[in-house]
């Protein structure tokens, strides 16, 4: 089986490359080899390489910049996704499109089901939802929504927080983190496993559903996440001492884009279809920090 992975240098793309299935040939493409803003080139490349699957791990992920770069965001997160789906389905190939909890508005009080109504409240979420809808017109497209993605490499909250803890403790500063945005972190190692399992199952045509959810288990705030990152980073010797974290409200931390107040994904259908249990967010965090420590400190 041949699988084209877009955004191979992103945090998920990178982990997919490291964790692939046996017997799978991976073609991992960087932005300069496969630019989602160049639809003709993407189409030509797909038809030349004829992958069985594309995992689209590339996206315009800068949520605040998206509010200003609206056309570019929709071109990458929606228009290009349709090109991928249309082109690969023209010869019976399939697309696994990675999507986001930000397709929801956050007004629900219980975890979002794949069938719940979408109502994005920012440009990034709207562009990702349009990418879902446009690609679902073509047979063979699966959508995998995830939330609060982080891993042992890349640009993510966990690694940013690690730096902040390090500096805050040294300079006796306080880290302010919002406590009123509630969600579930997802580590790229677990998410990559789900991508591979979905591909295995769907290659045997075992799945009728088209939209899946995946995150680690647990419902927390960014504040809870920040405190735990400091605690376990200190335990694993990644930082000398965790900094002090102050819980603040979103009103005291203005961002350009609005964020949903509650974006927990209900992952029951994915657990059932794949016969895999979600991993508790603390266990996932500890295991990711251990990997990071091994790489950084050779421990
Ligand atoms: N991060 C989260 O918290 C989160 C939450 C929910 C869902 N998701 C979704 O999960 C997926 C993976 O996210 P991630 O966090 O791994 O993203 P990431 O680390 O920001 O990586 C995104 C990748 O997309 C590439 N890219 C951007 N513009 C491109 C273009 N025009 N053409 C081709 N490639 C382009 C980037 O290339 P460069 O390396 O050249 O910049 C980068 O490699 C995305 O679909 C995202 O929407 C993410």
């Amino acid at each position: 089986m041949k699988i084209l992975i877009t955004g191979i240098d992103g945090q998920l793309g990178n982990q997919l490359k490291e964790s692939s299935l046996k017997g799978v040939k991976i073609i991992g493409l960087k932005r300069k080899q496969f630019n989602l803003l160049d639809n003709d080139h993407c189409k030509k490349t797909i038809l030349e390489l004829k992958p069985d699957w594309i995992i689209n791990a590339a996206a315009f992920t800068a949520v605040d910049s998206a509010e200003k770069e609206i056309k570019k965001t929709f071109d990458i997160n929606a228009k290009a996704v349709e090109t991928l789906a249309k082109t690969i389905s023209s010869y019976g190939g399939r697309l696994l499109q990675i999507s986001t909890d930000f397709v929801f508005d956050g007004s629900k009080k219980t975890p979002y089901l794949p069938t719940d109504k979408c109502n994005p409240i920012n440009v990034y979420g709207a562009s990702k939802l349009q990418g879902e809808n446009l690609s679902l017109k073509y047979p063979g497209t699966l959508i995998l929504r995830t939330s609060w993605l982080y891993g042992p490499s890349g640009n993510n909250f966990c690694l940013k927080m690690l730096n902040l803890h390090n500096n805050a403790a040294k300079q006796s500063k306080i880290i302010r983190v919002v406590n009123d945005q509630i969600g579930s972190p997802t580590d790229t190692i677990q998410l990559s496993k789900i991508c591979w399992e979905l591909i295995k199952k769907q290659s045997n045509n075992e799945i009728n559903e088209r939209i899946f959810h995946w995150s680690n288990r647990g419902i927390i705030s960014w504040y809870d996440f920040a405190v735990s990152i400091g605690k376990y980073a200190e335990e694993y010797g990644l930082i000398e001492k965790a900094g002090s974290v102050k819980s603040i409200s979103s009103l005291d931390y203005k961002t350009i884009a609005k964020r949903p107040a509650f974006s927990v994904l209900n992952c029951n259908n994915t657990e059932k279809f794949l016969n895999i249990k979600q991993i508790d967010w603390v266990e996932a965090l500890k295991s990711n920090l251990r990997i990071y420590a091994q790489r950084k400190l050779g421990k």
Side-chain angles (χ1 to χ4, degrees):
M1 185 156 47
K2 207 194 299 181
I3 301 189
L4 189 164
I5 302 175
T6 67
I8 201 71
D9 285 342
Q11 46 170 352
L12 177 61
N14 197 38
Q15 184 57 39
L16 283 165
K17 184 174 60 184
E18 282 189 21
S19 64
S20 100
L21 292 177
K22 264 195 196 146
V24 164
K25 180 176 181 219
I26 291 200
I27 307 163
L29 299 179
K30 299 169 193 281
R31 184 204 300 242
K32 63 176 181 215
Q33 299 162 307
F34 192 85
N35 191 333
L36 293 177
L37 288 171
D38 186 347
N39 282 273
D40 289 341
H41 181 72
C42 290
K43 193 172 160 187
K44 191 164 157 267
T45 308
I46 297 166
L47 294 175
E48 270 167 22
L49 296 171
K50 288 254 169 75
D52 300 289
W53 281 86
I54 296 173
I55 307 179
N56 186 24
F60 188 107
T61 54
V63 176
D64 289 313
S65 307
E67 299 294 311
K68 292 180 186 155
E69 298 186 67
I70 299 174
K71 182 176 182 312
K72 187 175 172 190
T73 307
F74 274 86
D75 283 350
I76 294 173
N77 291 349
K79 190 174 162 195
V81 180
E82 178 169 26
T83 302
L84 303 188
K86 185 175 179 182
T87 312
I88 197 158
S89 77
S90 69
Y91 60 86
R94 299 170 200 265
L95 170 69
L96 177 57
Q97 167 63 12
I98 310 300
S99 195
T100 172
D101 53 332
F102 279 21
V103 296
F104 298 115
D105 61 16
S107 59
K108 220 182 148 191
K109 301 282 176 273
T110 54
Y112 281 97
L113 294 162
T115 47
D116 277 334
K117 186 174 173 287
C118 294
N119 182 30
I121 56 171
N122 59 37
V123 169
Y124 166 75
S127 70
K128 294 291 288 186
L129 178 61
Q130 194 176 98
E132 290 188 6
N133 291 336
L134 292 174
S135 61
L136 282 170
K137 291 194 295 180
Y138 302 92
T141 298
L142 292 186
I143 306 293
L144 176 56
R145 294 185 188 135
T146 189
S147 58
W148 297 21
L149 195 60
Y150 77 97
S153 63
N155 180 20
N156 62 60
F157 180 85
C158 179
L159 298 185
K160 272 185 212 151
M161 209 34 74
L162 217 53
N163 272 335
L164 287 179
H165 272 292
N166 207 11
N167 296 337
K170 282 183 192 152
Q171 297 163 11
S172 305
K173 284 191 177 156
I174 288 177
I175 309 168
R176 298 159 72 245
V177 184
V178 295
N179 66 2
D180 54 359
Q181 284 169 32
I182 307 299
S184 310
T186 307
D187 72 294
T188 51
I189 298 176
Q190 297 305 315
L191 186 66
S192 298
K193 270 191 203 157
I194 296 302
C195 291
W196 296 125
E197 289 302 317
L198 277 175
I199 285 180
K200 258 203 286 190
K201 281 254 180 188
Q202 186 63 348
S203 298
N204 299 330
N205 292 315
E206 289 178 44
I207 301 176
N208 293 322
E209 306 283 322
R210 302 196 62 197
I211 301 182
F212 293 86
H213 284 175
W214 195 254
S215 68
N216 296 142
R217 180 161 42 81
I219 299 180
I220 62 169
S221 70
W222 287 113
Y223 167 79
D224 301 323
F225 199 25
V227 170
S228 292
I229 292 165
K231 176 178 168 191
Y232 294 111
E234 184 181 321
E235 194 173 314
Y236 299 144
L238 280 162
I239 52 177
E240 248 172 63
K241 190 174 178 315
S244 308
V245 185
K246 184 176 181 217
S247 145
I248 59 166
S249 115
S250 303
L251 293 173
D252 297 322
Y253 190 83
K254 290 266 183 296
T255 52
I256 301 169
K258 281 199 229 163
R259 265 88 172 157
F262 180 91
S263 65
V264 178
L265 300 172
N266 179 319
C267 302
N268 292 351
N269 77 333
T270 313
E271 283 191 311
K272 193 169 134 210
F273 277 117
L274 301 181
N275 198 19
I276 291 181
K277 287 271 167 233
Q278 282 175 293
I279 290 194
D280 178 72
W281 72 272
V282 176
E283 290 314 309
L285 173 63
K286 283 160 72 175
S287 117
N288 274 266
L289 288 175
R290 265 188 245 116
I291 294 171
Y292 187 70
Q294 273 162 8
R295 288 184 190 165
K296 196 168 173 222
L297 313 171
K299 280 188 179 177

